Amino acid sequence: MTKSLLSLILLPLLLAGCAQMPDTQVTRHQIDDLRDHDKDGVINQRDMCADTPTGTKVDITGCAPWEVKPKYDIQTVYFNYDDAHIRLDQNETYTLLFNLLEQKPQAKVILVGDTSPEGTDQYNKALAQRRTGVIKDALIENGIAPERISEQEFTQVTELTKHLKKRERRTIAVITSNQMEPVKKWTIYSSEQSAQHASTAQ
């Protein structure tokens, strides 16, 4: 039998074999968890830090870097006209202010004195100082260290007073403490949100 004849006999057999349907059955079970429960872009199988807060910057293991961020608590104590005594209906606000400082030993407070627009600036400046002073004295008497308390009044130009949009008979207490937070992803709204936080005291 010549080689050419042998080739003619084997060719149909080879073509018949190639025409068979391929085996599409997968015998390996899917064991990888491809879901992303906390929606941080990292599948559960590789996510070492579950429940990442929304909008947080993460690495390839799904974990976020952390940073120290200032936290602000703002309380406002209101006063009667031309008066610097803490009103009875403001005791609850004062107590809340005191409790916040007591619960956060590292926190500090800035007392911003304000007045209604009646009267001269000189008189109102002294009144604003008396209003911050009465709150400062009460905090010190209850055990808050004096070095944790600072005072400003509406006549000064500071990062806080520049946000005051109206004059009222009050003292604004701005409590600042530090806390650890995951680093947020940058968005086009990040700068706008930072500006809004800075102007909370109005």
Side-chain angles (χ1 to χ4, degrees), residues 28-51 59-63:
R28 177 183 178 273
H29 293 289
Q30 175 59 264
I31 59 173
D32 297 329
D33 189 351
L34 302 180
R35 296 170 295 176
D36 182 10
H37 282 148
D38 55 7
K39 301 189 185 328
D40 61 358
V42 178
I43 62 171
N44 293 346
Q45 185 72 16
R46 292 194 291 117
D47 202 334
M48 303 298 293
C49 299
D51 302 322
D59 58 21
I60 60 173
T61 65
C63 296

Side-chain angles (χ1 to χ4, degrees), residues 101-162:
L101 289 170
E102 189 177 45
Q103 293 163 9
K104 301 177 179 181
Q106 304 305 316
K108 295 185 178 183
V109 62
I110 300 175
L111 303 174
V112 182
D114 194 11
T115 70
S116 55
E118 297 87 355
T120 66
D121 283 348
Q122 183 177 1
Y123 181 85
N124 283 335
K125 178 180 179 179
L127 178 59
Q129 290 172 342
R130 292 199 301 275
R131 286 173 173 170
T132 59
V134 72
I135 296 175
K136 179 179 180 179
D137 291 344
L139 291 173
I140 293 172
E141 287 175 7
N142 284 280
I144 303 300
E147 58 269 21
R148 297 174 61 192
I149 308 168
S150 58
E151 299 171 86
Q152 298 177 7
E153 76 276 339
F154 71 96
T155 58
Q156 296 175 283
V157 180
T158 71
E159 285 300 313
L160 294 178
T161 60
K162 71 179 184 181

Side-chain angles (χ1 to χ4, degrees), residues 11-28:
L11 183 59
L13 296 175
L14 292 172
L15 291 175
C18 292
Q20 292 179 356
M21 294 296 293
D23 184 5
T24 59
Q25 297 298 317
V26 177
T27 56
R28 177 183 178 273

Side-chain angles (χ1 to χ4, degrees), residues 144-196:
I144 303 300
E147 58 269 21
R148 297 174 61 192
I149 308 168
S150 58
E151 299 171 86
Q152 298 177 7
E153 76 276 339
F154 71 96
T155 58
Q156 296 175 283
V157 180
T158 71
E159 285 300 313
L160 294 178
T161 60
K162 71 179 184 181
H163 295 293
L164 297 179
K165 296 180 179 178
K166 54 185 177 179
R167 299 278 301 283
E168 294 188 44
R169 299 187 291 271
R170 61 185 174 177
T171 288
I172 302 170
V174 182
I175 305 151
T176 307
S177 57
N178 290 327
Q179 63 180 18
M180 294 293 293
E181 288 186 358
V183 176
K184 298 290 185 180
K185 290 180 182 177
W186 186 90
T187 70
I188 59 173
Y189 303 106
S190 298
S191 298
E192 181 181 340
Q193 290 169 350
S194 297
Q196 288 175 347

